[in-house]
Every structure is written in structure tokens, then in C-alpha cells.
Amino acid sequence: MRRATVGLLSRKQQPRTVATWHPRLFHSKGNHGSAEALGTVAKLPEAEPVAPLKPRQNVSLADIQERRAKAGRLVAMTAAYSDSDMFKGPSVGKPKARRWDHHISPEAAVREPCVLKQAAKHLKKPGIISLGGGLPCPEYFPIESLTLRVPQSPHFSEAATRASGQDLHIGKYDVASQKSEYDLSIALNYHQATGSAQLLRFVTEHTELVCNPPYADWRSCLTVGSTGSLEQAFRLLCNGARGDSVLTEEYSFSTALETAAPLGIALVGVRMDEQGLLPESMDEILTNWDAGERGGARKPHVLYTVPSGQNPTGATQGEERRREIYRVAQRHDVYIIEDEPYYFLQMQPHSASSGGPVKEGVVQAGAPEPESVDAFLGSLIPSLLSMDTDGRVMRLDSFSKVLSPGTRLGWVTASEQMIERYIRHAEVCNQGPSGLSQVVVHKLLDETWGHEGYLRWLMNLRVEYTKRRDVMMAACERYLPGEIVSWSPPVAGMFAWFKVDPTLHPDARNGRTALDIEEEIFNLCIDKGVLVGRGSWFRVPEEPYPHKVTLAEKSTKEEPNEIFFRATFAAATSENMTEAIRRFSEAVKEVYKL
Amino acid sequence: MRRATVGLLSRKQQPRTVATWHPRLFHSKGNHGSAEALGTVAKLPEAEPVAPLKPRQNVSLADIQERRAKAGRLVAMTAAYSDSDMFKGPSVGKPKARRWDHHISPEAAVREPCVLKQAAKHLKKPGIISLGGGLPCPEYFPIESLTLRVPQSPHFSEAATRASGQDLHIGKYDVASQKSEYDLSIALNYHQATGSAQLLRFVTEHTELVCNPPYADWRSCLTVGSTGSLEQAFRLLCNGARGDSVLTEEYSFSTALETAAPLGIALVGVRMDEQGLLPESMDEILTNWDAGERGGARKPHVLYTVPSGQNPTGATQGEERRREIYRVAQRHDVYIIEDEPYYFLQMQPHSASSGGPVKEGVVQAGAPEPESVDAFLGSLIPSLLSMDTDGRVMRLDSFSKVLSPGTRLGWVTASEQMIERYIRHAEVCNQGPSGLSQVVVHKLLDETWGHEGYLRWLMNLRVEYTKRRDVMMAACERYLPGEIVSWSPPVAGMFAWFKVDPTLHPDARNGRTALDIEEEIFNLCIDKGVLVGRGSWFRVPEEPYPHKVTLAEKSTKEEPNEIFFRATFAAATSENMTEAIRRFSEAVKEVYKL
């Protein structure tokens, strides 16, 4: 087990050196229910210095519990400043991240901090009255309280929740009355662009439990979800006028293509196999890059990748694959955007399939379902962030696929330098996520379930998605013509990816292109009553270089002779999913005249 | 009264021509609680064609009630497509907006629609099963229901809410059980980037009630708040590489300065008086623009203005002022971004003040407090959008100052062309606002208070802010040295703006600059325990032209010989506000050696 819990050192065993974490304890005003606390700093009561533990791989639930118990009550009033360093464990012995000044875009480089938020530093003076920030008074927030009906961990089903769920209450002044560390008077007012200290603490600890980045100065920042994070990351790292290009899987998330194109960023497709992006293809592209041949585009300095349950292919990079990709990135000074919406939708291995071999090297066939939280954490493929000794990874996390997309809530993790630049942009492009979403998610995950309960929720999702995947795979085995259609049972995510062989089409020799056949199958699917995704929607164009506009010569490369379809097993009922695969199969057979 | 209700025509009186509004009624799947309805179209039951009313100034509450009654139940499932045209009244006789292709930035011009959202059009086929979109199943949303405690209109105080407020219930499957038109299964899933049809309907109608834009093809779109809308608007209209510049008040919202600068947009300050931006200054700048003298910057094609309770000056443009600004914009082909967070914080006139004359021309002194909703609407200074015959205004509205900033919820209104481009960006930069925020605000404003109740809430805010403003003004009259400090009682917003005369400083002739004196007063304020905003934080730089980098010659213009301070009356208690003004006064007197 890679992430087995390391037992706590007893107080006596701990070396009495000064803690490196939690360096700032400023005065907070501690005024309740007033909007005057803009920019005060989240405060934990003065605790005795916590001795650093030895550098080590893992952080356990017990470590976090102990740390919280020592720190005491979190005091973070309206718009209080906070950062992950206030909540992280010791980072003694870890190196500092590299600097990325040479990668940062001109736009991101010149951003100045918000002058009004800076001024709020004066609010730490005791007794000061603020006529500074234009924050409304909570008296005028028309919600007195919120009550949520939620599952009691680990009884997560809707039926159990209706029968025996718990009602959580969020009042407007729960902080003043010491009922909670977070309330509506704070959540409904402005926040810092990092989000609230209360929820930032939770995601910082969660990131430590799951990824424990191996460098010292990592930070997290709450976001409005990974769609927005990706655009921010592109604007932070890339500049169309500089001729920037970004590597990504040759079949990539269509929204990523749509995000990059208007910014003048050329996406460059890297070849893939069953485990996703091929490091040797990445290395080859980078080694042989010729800006002249590429319409003046600079050698890519960024990789955008979805390591787990990649969208659209469903491919998942195994641990060794990830390490190779990281090494290639190091070799070529490439910064990595690790987009992981499906990380916790890693499933049990699928036993066998007519469509493809069992994926040794990604997950072990026959592995038992993890029963403990530690076993669950140990079963997860290590993230790129967990290998990131250079601080060259920005990981995008999201609650969309594991709690609900409607929260519009996620977080990013990267080195302090990159998070600081990210926050400067967030201050002007969204001011951080909805406070209502934050307080609801905090009440559920932090105050009610805790880290363990939340991990159990994720374990429950693993079971549910495994079932759904297996229903689709059974339908595939039953209906799809294996001689024409091939697939691999996905081990993570929401998507299956079907490869259709264009060379077996009766008109293959009569000039019928793969794209023609793809379209014919897609249209027939609609006629028969099933919507699937077309592979061509996701394909990174061969010649995407916007810098090439002055070149008269056009590429003579042919369209790829490939046909793919994407299908999700996340949404439909078992019956509908089975029927949908049957219809898809009928469409393929009809087009292939079987 | 400008907005008196126009009586409804009886059915018989209505001409039987075909309605121009609500042109699209597509099939929606109507499946409940499933995520398969991505991209279905919001549907109102087929109603008999509604005859258009005569073109006219005003839309009344009764018009909207009648329209809703005729339209019947709104069916808008998960991620349903919707637009304002589905909810607007007749636009017969109104001209179409002009086109702004020549103003749109290259980045905005090339945006393509999201291919996955486009594909969802196939879902209107009856019986189709979607394996298309990667939407999670609502079964896995861990919130079974939400209950809100809110005021019962018009008893809005916190005490009344605690004593006799109402509890609103939002269930996961309220749509399936016909309890509501909106529920958690929809709100917690993905939305279109426009936001939900349910809340879009409300803000569309509200915009009609308040602004009723005088052209046909206006649309609204929900946003993550006006901070984000402003950045999106800048990116939509401006391009640093093109040498774009934007006009704004010479003292402008500091976040706007911080948003524009990294984009390479030069902000150009327009002189102001008590009513804010001076149209003749704007006209002069535009008429005499010389790109050579301005470091190559193009003649401004955009105006960014805060017409009501401007931040930081608190100035409010009167109706005639707005008309003049609009005329100057027409003369010079300028597009207007109308940022109106404080529009509904228009207050009762302040009777008199030692600091300045009563502002005739903005609000009439001695006007009675509006008692009816119609009188309230009639008391509001008409918005630029309400005068916008060309469709050259993008109005930014926000719930931050009138409900709560923590909702991160607002909306923009502009012509169809501009809103379509705006949405294309929103799809990749935030995917619209939090669904939790949307469903909570919808439950309160639409389902519970209705338009009338919400307007009464805004009337209540008017009373409350009037009281707060008056407390601050009383303290100013009592404490501030009138020979040195002058001010005008604001008629809208959250801010008072104090002008301090630098020429009366004892060291004025010894080379002591206005900026030095400002700093000295500010620091002494902090020492004495009050935080105010420094005018210089908000001043648009005289030479902001980033395009001028190659010019060796630097401007020799002097620093302005002006000192201002901004103070908010929104946040502190009466006692604190009075004490804070006393401390500010002490600081000024001490610096001036009085």
C-alpha cells in the first residue's frame, strides 16, 4: 500500500525545532456580523509551536486531527486573508519550487494586487473602524438560515438519506454564537479571491492527504470550477503573440480546444495508447521541434493533460507512465497542467472483455474493493502533483464530478509563485466562487462528514461508477460487433471510447473517408435514438498554428484514417444504457452492411 | 411619474396580429431527475398567440403576470437552452440594434460555440437516449433538500424574519412532483452558460420593468457578478495589440484599472463634476484625439461608466446628463459599458448640508418617499440602457449590493450580437454562476416574493441607505472643518467623497505636494483608528499608454493638485460611523495645524 498511515511520533520523540508551517498569526478584528472585517487575516489561536515531523511520504487523518486539535478554533471573519501555509503540515526537508518567470505570460506578469484588498492590512490595528471597503452590512442579506438534508456517512443512498439523513443548520450569526467557524454573515459577503479560509483549510488538508506535494511552498486556491481554472492557467502561462503552443493528448477535451483557439494558442496533439499520452511521442515532438516548420510557433513549454479517465478516450495513465511524462517535462522545461476531474472516479478493475485485454500496469486485475479509507487512498494512482519535486505542476481539482457541477466549485494547487499570479487574475475575473456554495460544501464536508466521511463518500462513488461501467461493458460485449468495434474497459472516469475500423467498411476502397463513415454512423445513431460523441469533435487539428497565417503553402497531411465514438456511462439508467448500446450497435452494423 | 403603469388592453382590444416574441417552442424531453436532458430547450406550453401591444415606454407588473399566466408552466430541465426572447414582451415597432463587428476584439470574434452543447440539439428528438454529455446523475448529489428562512415581504427586518419569517423548501425532485419549476436535481447539475431558464426569466422581466430597452433584440445573460462581467466586456471589446483605449471617469473603480492594465488597455480619464462624468470633456477628448500624441493609442471606442453612486466619488448622473453622454457616444461611435451595482441604492434627497448645495437636476429636494412600487420605479433615474435606441450599451447588473455579494450572481443586458459573444466566452471561463446561488435566489425572488415583493425589498433598502447616509452626513456637518473639507451628500450608492483643499495647508508654499498631504492624513487616520480610501488609489493615470513604451520622451505633466478621500456608509454601525468621521476630522485638523 503506497499510502499506509505513518504512525504519529509521540510528543517526546518530536525534535523541538521551530515549526516552518503556519508562519503568520495576525490580529483579526473578531467583530461579529459586521462587514468591517474586510481583509482581516484568518486566525488560529496561538498554539505552542508544533514540532516538524520528519519529511515523509504520507500524511494521515490522525495527523490532521491532531494538528487541528492543537490549533484550536479557526477565526476567519468577513473576507479574511488566508493561504494554505496556515493549514499545511510541516514541510521541513522539502525543496522549494523552481521559479517560472520565463514561462509566465506578459499579461500575468504585470498584474498588480487589488489596492483595496491591500489596504485592508490596516484592519489588524485593534479598534480601527473601517470606512474603507464597500461591503454591505449582513443585516441586509435576506437569508436568515439554511437547512440542508444530507446523507449520514456511510449511508449515502437517496433512500437512506430520506429515511435517516441528517439536517444541517447554517445560521447567519453562528460564528458570534460560537456554533460554527463559518456562517451566512461571512459566506454571503465578499471573500478573498482564494475563497474562504474555512473551505481553503479543508481542500488544503485533503490535497495533503491525497497528493502530499513533495516540495515546500505549494498552495491551493479555491476556484469557480476547472473550466475557469483552465482558461486562467492558459492566460497565466501562454501568449498568442509570443507564438506559444501547448501539448495535449491527440484526442483532447473539446472545451480545452475551444478555450485555447481564441487566445491564439496552438495545441499540439501527442499520440496516445490505452494508457493515454505517450511520453516518447511527447519527447520526440519536443526534441525535433522546428519553429520554422511549425509556422513560427515556439517549442511547447506547457503540457495540458487529463491523467485519469481522460476525456474523451477514458484512458488512464498508470503510475510509471506518469513518472515518464514528468521526466520528459523536466528534460524539456515543460510546465504541466494536470486536470483531474475524474481522479476519484477510479474504479475496480474490469475482469475481462471481448474488446481489449485487462490493463496490467494501470490497475491490478482482481484487486479487492478497498474497505478502509487508508486502503482506498492507497489504491489511487499517484497524481503528477505527488511526484512534483520541481513545483512544475498545476493541478486542477473540481467538486463537479464528485459532489455536484452546480456548486461551480473547485481548487487549484501549485507553487506559491503560480498561485499568487492565479489569485491576482481571480480578483478581477470572478472574485472566487459563490459563498453559498462554499458554506454549504464546508458544512457538509468539513463540519459534518470530516475528511474520513468525505473519503467514504468517494469510496461509495467508486462502487457506483464501477457498477455503471460494468453495465455498459456487458452491453458492449453482448451487442457490439467485435470484428469492427474495439474498446478497452475504462478504469476511471465517465467515458468509454469505441474504435471503429474504417478499413473494413464495404466502400473503404471507393474513396469513402473515415470522417464520412463516422458521420454516417452518427446520423444513423440519432435516427435510431441514441446520442454519442463523435471522435472528430475532440481531435486536435494537425495544423492549428494561427501564426502561420502568412504562409501560402498548406499542409498536405491527410485526414487521419480513424473513427472513434465516445459514450458516457455516468448519466443513463441501466436499462437505457443497455438499450442505447444496442442502438449504437445496430447503427454500426447497418452502415457496415452486416 | 415616468413609469406609471399603462393599463392592459382587454382581450377584445388587442389587435390579432402574430406575436413577435417567444419565437421558439421546441420539444423538451421532460425526463425528471435524470441528467440526460443536457441542452434541451426550455419549454412553455403552447399558448394561443399573444397579440403585440402598441410600442410604449413601460411594462407593468400586471403585463408580466398576464404573460406568465398565458404561458403556463415553464419546463426547463437540466442544462436546458434558453434566452431572453422566450420571456420578453412584444418588441413590435422597436428597431433592431446596430452591429458592432468593428468594435469586437479579434479574440472575441473567432470564438466558436461549444461543440458538445451544440450536439445537444439532437436531444429534442423524442425518445432519444443520451450517452453524449458527461453529466453526473443527480442520484449522486449529496443534498436532498434545502430550507431557507427568509423575510416575508414587506416585513424585511432581521427581527421580523426571526419572529415571523417564512421557511422555503427546495427539494431534489420538486419538478417531477410538480411542486416547483426548478429544483436541486437541475440546479446542482450543469447549466448553460446563460444560467438557468428559471432565473433568466426573472432577470429578463425585471430588466423590462426597470429599463425596457427601446430596441427589439436585447438579451440578458446571468453572470458570476459584475467584476467578472467587466473583464469579459473588456476582452470582448478591446485588444491591447490594436492599441485600444477606454474612456472612464477620472476617478474610477480601482478594480477596473487593475482589470484593464494587464490587458494592455489604456484607460483615459474624463473630467467630472458633482454629477459625475462631463459629456463636454468626453466630447473634447474624442474630437481632438491624436494617436501620435497618445503613444499610438487608438481613439477610444468604449466608455466604462458607473452612472449611479459612482465608485469612488459617489456622484450620480442625472437624467439629462445621461442623455448627453449617450449623444456624445453616438457622435463618436463609442460603445458604453454601464456598470450599475448601486442603481437601486438611489436614496431620498438629503435636505441640506454645509458641504454642498442640494443637487437639483439629479433628485428633487423634498420629494416624498415612494410608497407604491410604481412610484418607486418612477423615482429611479432612467438608465442608459433605457435610452439605448442603438443597442450600444452593455449594462452590468449585480445582486451583490442588493441581496448579497456571496451569491456571486449578476446579469448583463445588451444586444443579441454582444450577448452571444459574451456567452461564448462564459462557456469557457466560468460556465455561468453557481446553481446553488441560482436556485436559492430564484426560490426567494421568483417563487416567493415575485417582482412586486422584490421591488418592495429594494424600496426597503432605499430607506435603510438613506438613514445610513444621513447619519454620516450629520457627523460630517458636526465634525469636519468646512473651510478645508468639502463634500456633497450622495444621492445613490455607498460612498461619500471628501475634497480636501491642498492650498490651505500651512506648508503648501514650501513644495509640499497634494499627494504628500494625502498620505500624511491617511496615515494619521490609521493612527487615530479609522480606515478611509485615498483618492489617489482611484485616479486614472495621466499617461497610461502601454503602447508608448518605445517613446523616450516622458510626459512632463504634474501630479494633480487635488486631495480626496472616500468613505463608505454601508458597513459600520451609526455609533462607529460617527466616531470614525470624528477621527477623520481630527486627523485633517492635526495635519492642517488647526
Side-chain angles (χ1 to χ4, degrees), chain A residues 21-22 24-26 42-50 67-76 181 201:
Chain A
W21 68 291
H22 192 250
R24 294 186 240 181
L25 291 170
F26 294 152
K43 183 192 174 193
L44 300 164
E46 299 277 352
E48 65 177 65
V50 176
R67 196 190 302 157
R68 283 217 188 185
K70 279 186 183 158
R73 188 162 167 265
L74 173 64
V75 178
E181 293 174 340
R201 175 171 65 175

Side-chain angles (χ1 to χ4, degrees), chain B residues 73-100:
Chain B
R73 189 162 166 264
L74 174 65
V75 179
M77 302 307 294
T78 301
Y81 171 87
S82 67
D83 63 53
S84 294
D85 268 4
M86 295 174 166
F87 311 121
K88 279 159 62 182
S91 52
V92 181
K94 289 179 175 179
K96 281 196 82 175
R98 293 183 184 221
R99 301 278 305 175
W100 304 102

Side-chain angles (χ1 to χ4, degrees), chain A residues 226-249:
Chain A
S226 293
T227 304
S229 304
L230 179 59
E231 205 212 28
Q232 282 189 246
F234 278 164
R235 293 201 192 268
L236 198 166
L237 287 157
C238 300
N239 177 239
R242 199 164 65 175
D244 283 355
S245 45
V246 169
L247 297 170
T248 187
E249 287 90 355

